[in-house]
Amino acid sequence: MLLISAAGLAVALLAACGTEAEPKPGASAAEGPEITFLYSPYADYGAFFLAEDKGYFDKQGVKVKLEPKGGSSGETFQLVSAGNVTSGGASWGAGLFNAVKTGASLSVLASVSRVPTEGRDPSPFMVGADSGITSVAGLKGKKVGVPGPGGFGAYSVALALATGGLTLKDVELANVSPPDVGAALANGAIDAAWTIEPLSTALEDKKIATRLVEHHAAGTELGAIVFNTDFVSKNEDAVVKFLTAYLKAADELAKGGWKDAANKAIIAKYTDLPVETIDRIGLTENDPTGAIDWSSVAKQEEFFAKQGDLEYKGTADVKSVFRQDLLDRALAAAKN
């Protein structure tokens, strides 16, 4: 994963936003401000890719520019709250809770994805294929890779270890970014790791790692759509149009759209995956209503508090920055 400074990413994004794409044939003329949305090149963001390439944003009359992230969710919060970009998708983590608590200019609009309760797990806990480890209990004292503290990766690993009676304190944690997990497992630098699709399936195909625990994080909220609050207050109609297009695309995927060849081709383009791989990897769930499971969010905040990742006592009251009114308007419009 390419990491650049928040300032550098902001400059690049602002420069990129200077040229507007021509509307797709038959689309409504877009009016109002352009919405720049930061995404990760994973299937989780499939609904946004469809909304862009199939003209759903254009049909709503909203100008949208999808920009791939150059850094972490923490950088996304910084860029959005500073107004350098309009919006983005980011995981529930210490960075978001801390930002909300300090009064950062962030508004939560809807859910992006959550871990499914059945099927192939999109974020399995894996061990090296040659590690000889066959149970969670066998990881005591071993090295486990996580993509840094304060994020879903650490939370997911804690849940996986708990299935075998262990905690994060029973293992040696090592900061390993998802793209580096394969090499770290292969050379024995770590014994197990948090992974995410499509990397998980690739590690299996190459016989580098095997799945040790799945569904340990079933139902967990993975991320949310966040907007700059000042932008939202001045451009509510544009935000509702953005959400409407997203919800229409999410509904299409939920109703079997993942099997559609055209949809898979679009998602493959944004994720740089072979089309056939999309049929094999574990997929997260995109709720077509945009609803957020606040009990799941609360559990994650409690976990980060116990880990010492939060800069405050009590709760951040993230629900106070959730714009249910705008989501309701978008849901009503999406039915038409």
Side-chain angles (χ1 to χ4, degrees):
M1 181 180 295
L2 176 64
L3 297 178
I4 62 177
S5 69
L9 179 58
V11 171
L13 289 173
L14 288 172
C17 289
T19 302
E20 296 179 5
E22 290 295 325
K24 294 179 177 58
S28 301
E31 299 179 355
E34 181 176 74
I35 292 175
T36 302
F37 182 81
L38 296 180
Y39 71 89
S40 295
Y42 299 136
D44 305 47
Y45 289 82
F48 299 98
F49 307 150
L50 262 59
E52 171 64 15
D53 276 36
K54 300 185 81 168
Y56 294 172
F57 289 131
D58 290 332
K59 290 176 182 177
Q60 289 300 317
V62 60
K63 294 183 289 186
V64 176
K65 187 174 185 62
L66 300 183
E67 287 285 352
K69 293 183 183 182
S72 65
S73 289
E75 287 189 5
T76 297
F77 301 138
Q78 293 172 9
L79 290 168
V80 173
S81 62
N84 292 323
V85 294
T86 311
S87 59
S91 62
W92 296 96
L96 177 57
F97 295 121
N98 285 327
V100 170
K101 187 66 174 181
T102 59
S105 183
L106 293 172
S107 293
V108 175
L109 276 295
S111 170
V112 169
S113 61
R114 65 175 60 97
V115 181
T117 57
E118 57 185 16
R120 188 170 172 82
D121 195 328
S123 184
F125 184 57
M126 305 185 79
V127 293
D130 298 324
S131 66
I133 296 171
T134 58
S135 68
V136 171
L139 284 170
K140 189 169 185 178
K142 301 293 186 179
K143 293 183 179 180
V144 176
V146 295
F152 172 70
Y155 179 66
S156 179
V157 167
L159 294 177
L161 292 175
T163 65
L166 300 182
T167 69
L168 294 179
K169 294 181 180 180
D170 293 315
V171 299
E172 182 180 344
L173 296 178
N175 291 340
V176 182
S177 65
D180 296 328
V181 165
L185 287 172
N187 63 28
I190 57 175
D191 301 287
W194 174 81
T195 65
I196 189 170
E197 293 284 23
L199 301 175
S200 310
T201 294
L203 292 175
E204 289 178 293
D205 289 347
K206 296 177 181 178
K207 301 187 184 306
I208 294 175
T210 59
R211 295 176 179 235
L212 184 66
V213 185
E214 294 188 274
H215 303 303
H216 48 287
T220 298
E221 285 285 339
L222 283 176
I225 297 173
V226 293
F227 265 72
N228 176 275
T229 299
D230 294 335
F231 179 91
V232 172
S233 65
K234 298 174 182 176
N235 303 282
E236 287 191 359
D237 289 345
V239 173
V240 170
K241 291 175 181 178
F242 173 90
L243 286 176
T244 300
Y246 162 69
L247 294 173
K248 282 180 174 291
D251 185 61
E252 179 178 340
L253 288 176
K255 292 179 178 177
W258 285 106
K259 297 179 181 180
D260 182 85
N263 289 348
K264 287 191 288 187
I266 291 172
I267 294 169
K269 180 182 73 172
Y270 281 90
T271 57
D272 198 25
L273 288 174
V275 171
E276 59 271 18
T277 301
I278 296 175
D279 291 325
R280 300 175 53 228
I281 63 175
L283 297 171
T284 56
E285 294 179 340
N286 299 101
D287 192 327
T289 71
I292 295 173
D293 182 350
W294 291 105
S295 64
S296 173
V297 174
K299 289 178 181 177
Q300 292 180 70
E301 183 179 22
E302 181 180 359
F303 167 78
F304 296 126
K306 291 181 179 178
Q307 291 298 116
D309 298 322
L310 302 183
E311 301 168 353
Y312 58 88
K313 300 294 184 181
T315 65
D317 190 19
V318 181
K319 290 184 70 174
S320 66
V321 300
F322 175 51
R323 293 298 302 271
Q324 180 70 60
D325 58 325
L326 300 185
L327 179 57
D328 288 342
R329 285 174 57 187
L331 283 168
K335 294 178 181 179
N336 299 326

